[in-house]
Amino acid sequence: MILVTGGAGFIGANFILDWLAQQDEPVLNLDKLTYAGNLENLASLQGDARHIFVAGDIGDRALVAKLLAEHRPRALINFAAESHVDRSIHGPEDFIQTNIVGTFHLLEEVRAHWNALAEGEKAAFRFLHVSTDEVYGSLGREDAPFTEETPFAPNSPYSASKASSDHLVRAYHHTYGLPVLTTNCSNNYGPYQFPEKLIPLMILNATRGKPLPIYGDGMNVRDWLYVGDHCAAIRAVLAGGRVGETYNIGGWNEMPNLDIVHTVCGLLDEFLADAGQPSADGPATRLITYVKDRPGHDRRYAIDATKVLHELGWKPAETFETGIRKTVRWYLDHMSWVENVASGGYRKWLEANYGER
């Protein structure tokens, strides 16, 4: 069995679905079910004995200790995190509590559990910590992409909290010998992503005829990684990664935000026209609206994923063109899921974040 924390969120849910689609090893899923954690993401596993869900917080040490003792997982994959820059600007305390303090409590309980294992189980155990490229800060236009040796330079409460958690994971390996692995990924996109993030927000707003808010000049560059490729990379690192090492996971797809939005708009126009539902008001790009940039907005991220390719043979299966078509199609086919997660609380947050811009 493996233990997945944060397994009802966007990347965690995709990881569990992909894991159980390829093998029968059970998954124990611990998730706090905050606004972005949604059991509807895992509805297809209802009644599947291979998926055991527990509602709870990684900071609840008694619960974590109980789960480790009862289920004795061979590995823990930690997705649990507050993960949105804008939310961290409006309310950084949740990020400190979950990403730093929560990771510390999780590490303490895992260390105690690991120390009590028999030697064979101890040698085989892994703690895989899932992190972000944002810990490295911002790149200039001509700068080389981030490598695993790039110094940390976080610029938001979110990225600072993730950098702190990365440091804790590293320290627990070097101080206590805990067999850890860390992955730092670029911007994910794909099914089940909460519609506060760029791509699902654009899809949702466009289908409602609402403005498509673009920060600043829209030329902030990100490296885009299809979530299914990210899940495959994590499986590869878990299976063959060297203990104590960090692996950067990227999609080799650097694109400005504005280009992303134009691509999404073009696909929406195409798919709706094919379905006999073209917009009478014109192309979706008419809804693009430039808004005041967010504070400390990093200009460019880029990932050098050479290490994971050379050591583990992983590379993305999807190009951006194939991945984004799958993604837009999925959202159009699952608008009931989108409407369910876009609750009153979500609408209130949108107003708080974009209303004065």
Side-chain angles (χ1 to χ4, degrees), residues 128-147:
L128 195 158
H129 177 64
V130 180
S131 190
T132 172
D133 59 358
E134 297 193 35
V135 300
Y136 299 123
S138 186
L139 292 170
R141 180 181 297 178
E142 303 302 325
D143 291 341
F146 301 131
T147 71

Side-chain angles (χ1 to χ4, degrees), residues 217-277:
D217 62 2
M219 297 309 292
N220 298 76
V221 173
R222 299 293 182 262
D223 174 25
W224 293 90
L225 173 66
Y226 187 68
V227 66
D229 282 329
H230 186 197
C231 294
I234 293 170
R235 293 195 302 272
V237 172
L238 181 63
R242 288 183 289 135
V243 168
E245 291 293 312
T246 294
Y247 294 89
N248 281 353
I249 313 299
W252 302 103
N253 284 306
E254 283 190 63
M255 293 182 70
N257 288 342
L258 186 58
D259 288 0
I260 297 294
V261 175
H262 275 275
T263 299
V264 169
C265 286
L267 288 169
L268 286 169
D269 292 340
E270 174 190 334
F271 290 150
L272 292 175
D274 288 347
Q277 304 169 356

Side-chain angles (χ1 to χ4, degrees), residues 151-222:
F152 282 13
N155 291 318
S156 71
Y158 161 58
S159 57
S161 68
K162 287 299 290 183
S164 299
S165 69
D166 292 10
H167 284 313
L168 282 170
V169 171
R170 173 186 168 87
Y172 270 64
H173 172 65
H174 286 278
T175 302
Y176 303 114
L178 190 68
V180 305
L181 299 156
T182 297
T183 57
N184 293 85
C185 69
S186 57
N187 277 37
N188 278 220
Y189 68 98
Y192 300 110
Q193 188 169 30
F194 194 76
E196 65 188 356
K197 299 295 179 76
L198 178 66
I199 289 173
L201 176 62
M202 296 302 111
I203 297 169
L204 177 60
N205 280 15
T207 58
R208 292 174 167 179
K210 293 186 174 182
L212 309 181
I214 306 294
Y215 285 141
D217 62 2
M219 297 309 292
N220 298 76
V221 173
R222 299 293 182 262

Side-chain angles (χ1 to χ4, degrees), residues 11-161:
I11 304 175
N14 274 282
F15 178 82
I16 290 173
L17 292 170
D18 286 358
W19 181 271
L20 293 178
Q22 298 185 39
Q23 59 202 307
D24 288 328
E25 184 175 12
V27 177
L28 175 63
N29 177 7
L30 174 64
D31 196 291
K32 191 178 178 181
L33 294 180
T34 57
Y35 72 94
N38 182 3
L39 282 179
E40 194 177 346
N41 299 350
L42 299 164
S44 63
L45 298 179
Q46 189 170 1
D48 191 329
R50 300 173 302 164
H51 177 239
I52 303 168
F53 177 76
V54 176
D57 191 336
I58 59 170
D60 184 342
R61 292 179 61 166
L63 175 60
V64 171
K66 177 175 179 287
L67 294 175
L68 290 170
E70 286 183 2
H71 296 277
R72 301 179 65 84
R74 69 174 180 89
L76 185 152
I77 301 94
N78 181 32
F79 293 98
E82 295 284 346
S83 65
H84 191 41
V85 172
D86 291 323
R87 285 184 185 267
S88 80
I89 293 170
H90 286 282
E93 185 171 357
D94 287 344
F95 290 72
I96 305 305
Q97 288 300 319
T98 298
N99 298 354
I100 303 176
V101 179
T103 300
F104 161 68
H105 288 312
L106 186 63
L107 284 165
E108 278 288 273
E109 291 307 320
V110 170
R111 178 167 71 98
H113 170 75
W114 175 73
N115 277 327
L117 293 176
E119 283 307 310
E121 291 178 297
K122 199 172 181 180
F125 187 85
R126 296 291 183 270
F127 181 104
L128 195 158
H129 177 64
V130 180
S131 190
T132 172
D133 59 358
E134 297 193 35
V135 300
Y136 299 123
S138 186
L139 292 170
R141 180 181 297 178
E142 303 302 325
D143 291 341
F146 301 131
T147 71
E148 290 80 1
E149 284 72 46
T150 301
F152 282 13
N155 291 318
S156 71
Y158 161 58
S159 57
S161 68

